Amino acid sequence: AADSVIAAKLGTDSVTADALKDDAIATGDLPTGSVLQVVTSADTTRDTTTSTSWVASTISASITPSSTSSKIFIIISTQGNNNNNSGHSLNWTIYRDSTDISLNSTYGFGQMYTASAGNLRSMITTAVLDSPSTTSSTTYKLYFKSGNAASTVEITGSPGMTRTITLMEIAG
């Protein structure tokens, strides 16, 4: 093509790291679907509750989108534990600031249900694409609750179990 660069015509050292500035390619120049920034947070805290209303966990991260058309891809990985009796559940969802972004206010993005007596431990991995429509700092946080007040549920963390949240800004 007329505007292409042929490697054989480039002089030795004509493109160097010093010649490429941090702002050489503006965010607005990238095509739709490009990853513009990534924020990750990890911890080993253990959160527990018997509440049947949504409770904030300590799994959270904040991101400041560069455009109102950007989307945020959220990935949360942790372990859940549903203790006690059969017929009880652990439910989880994700909040953007003070708004539940799931489409189901009862179950959120998932439910871990115990069909028989005893503890149920399982990995919880949730991936969601959100459209916050803002250029202000936005915090995403995992919330959870028990399906029965007689049951203790936990979002597990310990020195051997790291919980992570990753936020990716995607060009819209």
Side-chain angles (χ1 to χ4, degrees):
D3 60 348
S4 64
V5 177
I6 300 169
K9 292 188 178 185
L10 289 175
T12 303
D13 295 327
S14 62
V15 179
T16 65
D18 290 336
L20 297 174
K21 299 181 216 169
D22 287 340
D23 60 355
I25 299 174
T27 300
D29 296 336
L30 296 171
T32 298
S34 297
V35 176
L36 304 179
Q37 63 174 311
V38 178
V39 175
T40 300
S41 178
D43 73 32
T44 56
T45 305
R46 174 176 290 178
D47 298 311
T48 64
T49 192
T50 56
S51 176
T52 56
S53 298
W54 295 117
V55 174
S57 75
T58 54
I59 302 173
S60 71
S62 297
I63 193 167
T64 304
S66 60
S67 169
T68 56
S69 64
S70 291
K71 300 195 180 318
I72 305 299
F73 187 51
I74 308 143
I75 305 167
I76 294 178
S77 181
T78 186
Q79 185 178 42
N81 187 19
N82 183 8
N83 297 317
N84 299 329
N85 303 314
S86 64
H88 294 193
S89 63
L90 161 65
N91 302 288
W92 64 91
T93 193
I94 300 170
Y95 274 62
R96 176 194 339 108
D97 295 324
S98 60
T99 302
D100 180 355
I101 63 171
S102 75
L103 298 177
N104 188 316
S105 61
T106 301
Y107 300 110
F109 285 110
Q111 179 183 65
M112 183 187 305
Y113 182 80
T114 306
S116 60
N119 290 349
L120 173 63
R121 284 187 189 272
S122 182
M123 287 302 299
I124 295 173
T125 302
T126 302
V128 178
L129 189 63
D130 185 42
S131 301
S133 300
T134 186
T135 55
S136 298
S137 178
T138 304
T139 300
Y140 290 90
K141 183 176 278 208
L142 182 73
Y143 277 65
F144 69 115
K145 67 179 179 177
S146 176
N148 184 311
S151 182
T152 300
V153 295
E154 59 186 48
I155 301 297
T156 308
S158 67
M161 289 184 240
T162 301
R163 309 152 357 137
T164 61
I165 180 171
T166 301
L167 307 176
M168 289 186 253
E169 180 184 3
I170 310 296

